[in-house]
Amino acid sequence: MTDAIRVLLVDDQELIRVGFRMVLDAEDDIVVVGEAGDGRAAIAQTALLAPDLVLMDIRMPELDGIAATEAIVRDHPQTKVLVLTTFDLDEYAFGAIRAGASGFLLKDAQRHEMISAVRAVHRGDAALSPRVTRALMEHVTPRLGATSSAAPAAEESAALESLTDRERDVFLAIGRGLTNAEIAQTLYVGESTVKTHVGRVLAKLQARDRIHAVILAHRHGLVGDERGELRSGPESTPRPG
């Protein structure tokens, strides 16, 4: 099972870890390689086991999931972090974004939602479901501007200017939380074409994943106003490149 997604479970409640392990280990393409009950243990286990993905609780003793996520993303960039969250704790969710989390999973998620989230974050194709993205951004968008002490960097603006019309459309759709399939339907293109554009957008913006692109879209005020409206329909013709 060399191609299986290797997952580290991190939660201070053993029963929750047992439940998650049962769900994930039942899948042919996912294997739980370890567990940790707090942030410090999560960092140590990540260094030891080199998991593909860490399923990370936020509120834990010793060291919380935000600090642990920051350390893991910094020291082990090949490992993705999928954070367990609830939206009545939006300040924690926002902290996880800043720390480098690649996705979010509600603690009351259904079995299929958990499995889909693990697979999506691992492949970097859809870090957040549209439902989670929209709900999260409703809570944290005001904080994005409030916590930025300076205007967006000039290099970010230059990178945005380098996007073709179609790449910009895709970027704005990512910012709105659309999946690749939804982007394809909205822009009247094939899903494989969307995946190609997503890759180019992330590369040009030097974004580590889709959630980073979401942050950029909101930080630059491109989502939620007239500038963030998609130019949808077959009449929207991309520039070459």
Side-chain angles (χ1 to χ4, degrees):
M1 238 168 37
T2 56
D3 293 331
I5 303 170
R6 305 174 72 254
V7 177
L8 172 66
L9 298 178
V10 183
D11 197 293
D12 61 331
Q13 298 184 49
E14 183 178 1
L15 286 179
I16 289 181
R17 298 200 306 269
V18 170
F20 286 169
R21 178 183 281 273
M22 290 177 62
V23 169
L24 296 176
D25 274 344
E27 301 299 312
D28 292 337
D29 61 337
I30 302 174
V31 58
V32 176
V33 296
E35 299 182 14
D38 61 65
R40 294 189 190 283
I43 294 171
Q45 288 290 84
T46 299
L48 178 66
L49 301 172
D52 298 311
L53 183 144
V54 178
L55 190 57
M56 178 80 74
D57 189 19
I58 290 183
R59 302 188 74 182
M60 294 182 295
E62 298 296 331
L63 190 72
D64 65 29
I66 295 175
T69 294
E70 185 174 14
I72 289 170
V73 170
R74 180 188 65 239
D75 298 335
H76 307 280
Q78 75 283 359
T79 298
K80 302 289 183 64
V81 178
L82 176 59
V83 169
L84 294 166
T85 186
T86 55
F87 290 114
D88 58 332
L89 297 172
D90 57 303
E91 68 274 18
Y92 290 99
F94 178 66
I97 287 180
R98 295 293 299 271
S102 293
F104 293 84
L105 183 68
L106 297 179
K107 276 207 166 183
D108 63 352
Q110 299 296 310
R111 177 191 182 103
H112 72 276
E113 290 178 317
M114 175 187 294
I115 295 169
S116 295
V118 167
R119 289 170 176 159
V121 170
H122 175 253
R123 68 176 178 262
D125 183 33
L128 300 176
S129 72
R131 178 172 68 93
V132 172
T133 300
R134 291 164 189 148
L136 179 64
M137 286 305 166
E138 284 177 5
H139 285 269
V140 305
T141 295
R143 295 171 179 264
L144 288 172
T147 56
S148 180
S149 58
E155 54 266 27
E156 285 184 3
S157 298
L160 289 172
E161 289 295 324
S162 73
L163 298 178
T164 66
D165 286 343
R166 182 60 87 196
E167 288 167 354
R168 179 181 171 85
D169 286 342
V170 171
F171 171 57
L172 296 179
I174 293 172
R176 290 169 50 201
L178 272 63
T179 64
N180 284 355
E182 290 173 326
I183 297 173
Q185 184 177 21
T186 301
L187 299 180
Y188 298 92
V189 296
E191 192 168 347
S192 60
T193 299
V194 171
K195 293 181 72 172
T196 297
H197 284 310
V198 169
R200 290 175 179 170
V201 168
L202 296 183
K204 285 186 176 182
L205 300 181
Q206 296 185 356
R208 62 177 174 265
D209 50 36
R210 290 172 78 111
I211 193 169
H212 191 185
V214 170
I215 294 172
L216 289 176
H218 284 264
R219 186 161 66 204
H220 285 264
L222 298 175
V223 177
D225 59 26
E226 62 200 23
R227 290 174 298 169
E229 290 298 319
L230 287 172
R231 296 181 297 279
S232 60
E235 71 278 6
S236 177
T237 303
R239 296 196 300 262

